Every structure is written in structure tokens, then in C-alpha cells.
Amino acid sequence: MTDDRAAPTFVVGFGCQRGCPASTLRALLDQALQAHRIELRAVKALASIDLKRDEPGLLELARQLNLPLQYFNSAELAPFQQRLSHQSQIAFERTGCYGVAESAALALAELLILAPAKLMIPRQKYAQATLALAGAA
């Protein structure tokens, strides 16, 4: 039996365009994890901005992976602005947040580990989505 406490806690943050399918999000996730040699079972939760609360692709991906999906509003994501690898003016204009994927990943990771988190995989951009992965610093 493995001790889950020994396994790292990783959180994946997503930003996506309206109507982005779960298959696109899953392909981006698989590609990023494979490139960084991280096992899917190390991912403990998914995160995004509250504007995506009803996004079918995100909801479907969380169901497929059997992972909790947590949302944050732009005010909750704002404190992470200085830690982003990339600040998007377009994202800010649309969401009030300079980087949804990275901010959401950091916010949820810190909530889960009750300690500072860092980006393990900075913003990965795909046609319709962005992904970032955060974990214990």
C-alpha cells in the first residue's frame, strides 16, 4: 500500500475559451504531465475562475478524472499576480485576472497544502485553453 501523504499534491489550473471540449483539455493535461514526467495520480484537484463554473468541458474532465473542481473569483486570484510567469492583458480584460490557469492552480494548491505553493508547470497554451500546475514550494 502506498502512503498518499508521501505523494506530492499537485493542482492543475485551467483557463479556456467557451465551449472548449473535455478532449482538448485532457490532451493538454496529458501532454503537459508527460513532458514533465508527472503521473496523473499525483494531480489531486482542478481549478479555474468562477466565470467557468458552467463550462461543460471542465465539468466533464473533472468527472472523467474523478477529481474535485474548485473555482475562484478574480479577487481571490489577484494576490497571485506577481507570481505569474506571464501576465495577459486580454485575460485581465475578460476576467479581471492576469492569468487564470496559473493563479487558480496556485490558489488551490495553497488552500490544499496550507503552505506556499509554486508553479511546477508554468502556463501551457493550447488552441482553446491554458493549463498550469502548482504544488508545494
Side-chain angles (χ1 to χ4, degrees):
M1 234 163 75
T2 60
D3 181 358
D4 273 346
R5 288 172 302 180
T9 296
F10 292 129
V11 171
V12 175
F14 280 105
C16 63
Q17 293 175 1
R18 283 271 165 229
C20 180
S23 58
T24 296
L25 297 171
R26 179 63 192 261
L28 180 55
L29 176 62
D30 289 344
Q31 186 180 1
L33 293 177
Q34 187 175 7
H36 291 83
R37 295 185 174 82
I38 294 171
E39 292 188 37
L40 180 60
R41 63 188 176 87
V43 175
K44 304 302 181 201
L46 307 177
S48 192
I49 195 164
D50 60 354
L51 300 170
K52 301 294 177 187
R53 193 176 297 280
D54 61 349
E55 193 57 50
L58 275 174
L59 295 167
E60 177 59 30
L61 181 65
R63 260 194 305 278
Q64 285 174 11
L65 300 175
N66 195 27
L67 289 173
L69 173 56
Q70 186 150 343
Y71 302 96
F72 297 90
N73 63 42
S74 58
E76 292 169 313
L77 299 178
F80 298 95
Q81 178 182 337
Q82 297 309 316
R83 293 163 57 190
L84 303 180
S85 70
H86 172 86
Q87 294 190 14
S88 167
Q89 188 61 38
I90 293 170
F92 182 77
E93 288 167 12
R94 291 182 181 159
T95 67
C97 172
Y98 283 100
V100 170
E102 290 185 343
S103 298
L106 287 166
L108 185 53
E110 292 194 353
L111 205 65
L112 294 178
I113 62 179
L114 302 173
K118 73 172 185 176
L119 291 170
M120 311 306 254
I121 300 177
R123 173 182 177 268
Q124 304 289 300
K125 182 112 178 63
Y126 213 62
Q128 296 177 284
T130 55
L131 166 151
L133 184 137

